[in-house]
Amino acid sequence: MVNDQRPTRADYYRVLMGALAPETLVVTSLGNASYLWAKMNDRAENFYVEDAMGLALPLAVGLAVAQPARRVVGVEGDGA
């Protein structure tokens, strides 16, 4: 049974958006994670990795290693 009191993915994304500096790179993976993030916070610093289950984290780590002065956040979808 769905409980209306539970936070939604959009609720979590709003909190994340408020915590990110403008230069933060955000890597998302899979459908819902990418689609909603793009709808709520589309910007040039986002990397939308579609149809690549489990690859947002390795890509985020690689970006963090390549650009150590920038903050990088990886957002995986359900099942990844």
Side-chain angles (χ1 to χ4, degrees):
M1 180 173 172
V2 175
N3 179 344
D4 289 336
Q5 301 302 314
R6 293 182 183 172
T8 65
R9 186 188 314 257
D11 293 329
Y12 289 116
Y13 278 4
R14 277 189 279 281
V15 171
L16 181 59
M17 286 170 22
L20 297 179
E23 67 277 2
T24 301
L25 301 177
V26 178
V27 181
T28 64
S29 178
L30 296 177
N32 289 333
S34 291
Y35 300 145
L36 184 57
W37 187 254
K39 182 178 177 182
M40 294 179 69
N41 194 35
D42 188 35
R43 54 198 190 95
E45 290 79 10
N46 294 342
F47 292 85
Y48 306 107
V49 185
E50 290 298 321
D51 300 324
M53 184 179 283
L55 292 182
L57 179 60
L59 179 57
V61 170
L63 288 168
V65 169
Q67 298 186 40
R70 292 181 84 172
R71 186 173 181 192
V72 179
V73 174
V75 179
E76 285 283 7
D78 54 313

